[in-house]
Amino acid sequence: MDKKEYLAEYQKHEDMRKRVKMDKNRLHFHIMPPTGWMNDPNGLCEFNGVNHIYFQYTPFLAGWGEKLWGHYTTKDWINYTQEEPFLFPDTKWDRDGVYSGSAFVEEDGIHYFYTGNVKLTDKDYDYIMNGREQNTIHIFSRDGKNIEYKKIVMTNDDYPADMSKHVRDPKIYKVNDGYYMVQGGRNSDSRGCVLLFYSKDLNNWEWYDTVYSEEPFGYMWECPDLFEIEGQQILVCCPQGVEQKGYDYQNIYQCGYFPVTFDIENKSYKFGEFEELDKGFDIYATQTFVDEQGRRILIGWMGIPDADYDNDVTVEYDWIHALTMPRELSWKDGKIYQKPLKEMEQLRKNSFSSELSEFSDWSPKDCCFEMRVDIEDSGNIELKLREDVTVSWDGNLFTLELGESGHGRKKRVAQLSSLSDFTVFSDTSSIEIFINGGETVMTSRVYSESLEQKVTLLSKGIKGSITGYELGTFIVERGEC
Ligand code: FRU
């Protein structure tokens, strides 16, 4: 679909836009698709005071289909503009989808690298070891909206011969004057890895090395992100094919990070232990960027590929999936901590606060809230949120349990050594829980019958305090779409 075809289709789908607006589950403070399907955040960056949030987008179908890059911009993380889609599958290198990619800001503009997906149809293929082109494409823009050029920089022939046809999702990592590109890969023995490519000038690229964790960890690593935070190198990736182990890896595919020591120039790579970024049901394909204030910000897809979303109630209203809140990252005691961007505080309205010993329930007037619980001596606690969601801590396990509103998804558990606090952000159809100052996070979609948002304390005799705010709504303007 090129831009002309998109614009013609757009005219025909006023009905979709109307249906989306009728849905009570439409999110108030999360980015969701204007219509249709959304997956990975792409090309995250801030340029001249404007934050750009692009995303995998199938505008006219609330299901898996041909991907464009949708686009929102924001200066303050509260007021957003829905821009015209940025990238279309309009060349022979990306004709079956402009897949995920990232942005790299230089002084004069933004360089983007993404995967052009091509599926061959001339004969029968397995689309793993054959039948697929994954082209690496470079585009440049001076404003994040208009594309000055689009160039193919690598094809399957530029990837090592021992790779399957799954090599994708480029992100740039600069070392001294050289640019390294990390891409996710599945090798011909179905082992997940990252590939490194090198360029002196962002235009000419060549394969540099293929990097494996010491022990095999799944068959494919998607959406890698290599960066440094407070002196620690981190490799985020989304491994597929990792078996559940106790309370680890409870979802179909994983999203997490290895603390690493990569001396890339000397080709020496050391991996620490893989840590999940989130223990909820709906998290995948996170991407980070550094904003103009120097903060490392992470946004993820509140969804997972191939998970069972058949009964997602939003499909009836012609949309599906959303992005997480933007989260600021920090590095403490050998772990990534996540906390919602401070700007989210602008949404706070009426507040309440109470000692836990005097608290029984709270009914936020508007339907969304933020609520923080501080616990003394890591005491056990059980709370009911919304219609049928329970959150509990028994001295060892922090459990999120969804009733009917989970639509088949029941329980996620995080094992912790202690609990000092947790903060819940509850939107119309999502919850995000930041535990122990963001040491552990749980993100899930949840679809209540009513928009009931009452909080009830089920356990008695706990020492601590509870504070809550009703939350307002993002303002989204429609730009030139
Ligand atoms: C991750 C992913 C990426 C790919 C994109 C396609 O969710 O599968 O690897 O580039 O989605 O939409």
Side-chain angles (χ1 to χ4, degrees):
M1 182 187 293
D2 62 18
K3 185 161 163 178
K4 220 166 113 205
E5 285 160 344
Y6 164 82
L7 292 172
E9 278 295 306
Y10 185 87
Q11 297 306 325
K12 294 187 209 151
H13 290 292
E14 189 52 35
D15 54 325
M16 276 185 101
R17 290 185 283 280
K18 280 200 186 124
R19 282 189 71 70
V20 174
K21 289 211 175 80
M22 281 158 54
D23 188 4
K24 66 179 168 62
N25 282 311
R26 223 167 61 243
L27 292 153
H28 287 192
F29 59 93
H30 287 86
I31 290 181
M32 55 173 272
T35 55
W37 166 285
M38 163 183 271
N39 59 300
D40 316 356
N42 291 150
L44 302 179
C45 62
E46 181 174 9
F47 188 66
N48 292 339
V50 178
N51 294 287
H52 293 271
I53 302 145
Y54 308 88
F55 56 92
Q56 290 286 285
Y57 184 31
T58 306
F60 309 121
L61 174 74
W64 188 263
E66 190 183 72
K67 299 298 165 61
L68 281 58
W69 275 28
H71 187 194
Y72 287 100
T73 51
T74 180
K75 289 184 176 165
D76 59 5
W77 298 100
I78 298 295
N79 294 279
Y80 288 80
T81 305
Q82 180 197 323
E83 310 283 354
E84 186 174 88
F86 180 61
L87 272 178
F88 300 89
D90 54 6
T91 68
K92 64 176 189 238
W93 318 311
D94 58 15
R95 62 159 197 242
D96 298 312
V98 287
Y99 271 15
S100 282
S102 54
F104 187 79
V105 173
E106 294 273 66
E107 251 154 50
D108 56 341
I110 314 171
H111 295 263
Y112 303 79
F113 295 89
Y114 71 93
T115 302
N117 184 50
V118 176
K119 276 180 101 172
L120 307 178
T121 49
D122 56 324
K123 49 182 173 176
D124 273 351
Y125 291 109
D126 68 3
Y127 297 111
I128 299 171
M129 297 300 159
N130 50 46
R132 188 188 284 274
E133 290 172 16
Q134 303 259 270
N135 299 307
T136 305
I137 299 170
H138 174 196
I139 56 177
F140 179 71
S141 170
R142 288 184 197 279
D143 59 5
K145 295 186 188 177
N146 298 291
I147 295 173
E148 215 163 280
Y149 58 78
K150 181 164 177 173
K151 290 183 192 161
I152 182 160
V153 292
M154 284 188 285
T155 69
N156 289 1
D157 293 342
D158 298 294
Y159 312 144
D162 63 351
M163 281 298 129
S164 74
K165 297 295 175 271
H166 286 261
V167 171
R168 60 174 168 266
D169 309 334
K171 183 116 198 289
I172 305 300
Y173 180 70
K174 198 171 178 191
V175 181
N176 300 324
D177 289 335
Y179 302 94
Y180 291 90
M181 175 192 289
V182 55
Q183 299 222 36
R186 169 177 185 155
N187 78 4
S188 42
D189 294 327
S190 287
R191 180 167 173 193
C193 56
V194 291
L195 295 103
L196 291 172
F197 300 88
Y198 176 75
S199 174
K200 276 201 287 281
D201 54 10
L202 290 173
N203 289 309
N204 299 292
W205 290 91
E206 58 183 38
W207 174 76
Y208 180 78
D209 211 351
T210 305
V211 183
Y212 294 92
S213 52
E214 276 109 54
E215 291 298 316
F217 198 65
Y219 58 77
M220 168 72 192
W221 292 0
E222 293 191 314
C223 302
D225 189 356
L226 181 61
F227 59 88
E228 265 166 53
I229 184 158
E230 290 157 43
Q232 174 64 50
Q233 286 172 309
I234 300 289
L235 175 65
V236 171
C237 61
C238 293
Q240 302 187 325
V242 177
E243 298 255 304
Q244 181 168 356
K245 225 167 93 190
Y247 299 116
D248 288 337
Y249 324 134
Q250 297 164 90
N251 291 330
I252 172 171
Y253 302 140
Q254 313 314 318
C255 176
Y257 65 96
F258 297 99
V260 294
T261 311
F262 280 11
D263 177 359
I264 298 182
E265 285 166 324
N266 290 306
K267 300 195 175 177
S268 151
Y269 314 99
K270 288 208 175 59
F271 284 75
E273 218 163 288
F274 186 82
E275 186 76 38
E276 289 167 274
L277 273 165
D278 194 303
K279 306 288 282 188
F281 288 96
D282 295 295
I283 186 72
Y284 201 74
T286 58
Q287 190 176 90
T288 70
F289 74 106
V290 176
D291 76 351
E292 288 173 352
Q293 294 177 43
R295 300 179 294 182
R296 170 85 40 195
I297 297 174
L298 173 144
I299 299 178
W301 172 28
M302 277 207 284
I304 303 193
D306 301 330
D308 182 8
Y309 291 111
D310 287 352
N311 54 8
D312 190 317
V313 293
T314 65
V315 172
E316 272 178 55
Y317 290 91
D318 285 334
W319 70 283
I320 183 166
H321 299 313
L323 301 184
T324 66
M325 282 193 292
R327 305 164 180 181
E328 185 180 351
L329 302 188
S330 58
W331 176 252
K332 206 167 90 188
D333 304 330
K335 271 192 145 189
I336 286 185
Y337 278 66
Q338 304 174 55
K339 63 169 192 217
L341 278 200
K342 189 156 177 47
E343 284 87 336
M344 300 299 292
E345 291 176 8
Q346 297 170 80
L347 294 177
R348 288 176 177 173
K349 298 200 291 193
N350 299 325
S351 68
F352 91 96
S353 176
S354 166
E355 291 301 309
L356 282 171
S357 55
E358 286 156 20
F359 177 74
S360 68
D361 57 66
W362 173 52
S363 295
K365 266 206 296 309
D366 290 313
C367 69
C368 302
F369 69 84
E370 169 188 347
M371 178 200 71
R372 180 181 167 111
V373 177
D374 282 274
I375 292 173
E376 277 174 36
D377 307 325
S378 200
N380 296 0
I381 187 165
E382 187 171 16
L383 277 164
K384 190 165 120 182
L385 312 175
R386 310 169 57 110
E387 217 167 60
D388 59 2
V389 175
T390 47
V391 163
S392 63
W393 163 248
D394 69 0
N396 179 34
L397 305 178
F398 190 99
T399 304
L400 166 70
E401 214 164 338
L402 310 179
E404 290 288 299
S405 63
H407 279 249
R409 285 113 46 88
K410 295 202 159 59
K411 202 173 171 177
R412 283 289 176 265
V413 179
Q415 192 157 20
L416 311 171
S417 51
S418 64
L419 178 71
S420 58
D421 59 86
F422 60 93
T423 303
V424 179
F425 283 80
S426 180
D427 201 332
T428 47
S429 57
S430 74
I431 45 175
E432 276 150 294
I433 310 177
F434 296 82
I435 305 164
N436 288 340
E439 179 189 10
T440 301
V441 185
M442 285 179 153
T443 300
S444 288
R445 299 300 303 282
V446 45
Y447 309 99
S448 326
E449 236 350 275
S450 62
L451 283 183
E452 171 69 82
Q453 290 275 13
K454 189 171 169 184
V455 177
T456 313
L457 182 62
L458 300 176
S459 41
K460 296 273 167 269
I462 317 120
K463 281 196 249 154
S465 59
I466 180 163
T467 311
Y469 300 89
E470 291 164 1
L471 292 183
T473 304
F474 281 173
I475 295 155
V476 184
E477 297 285 331
R478 237 191 61 208
E480 325 126 23
C481 313

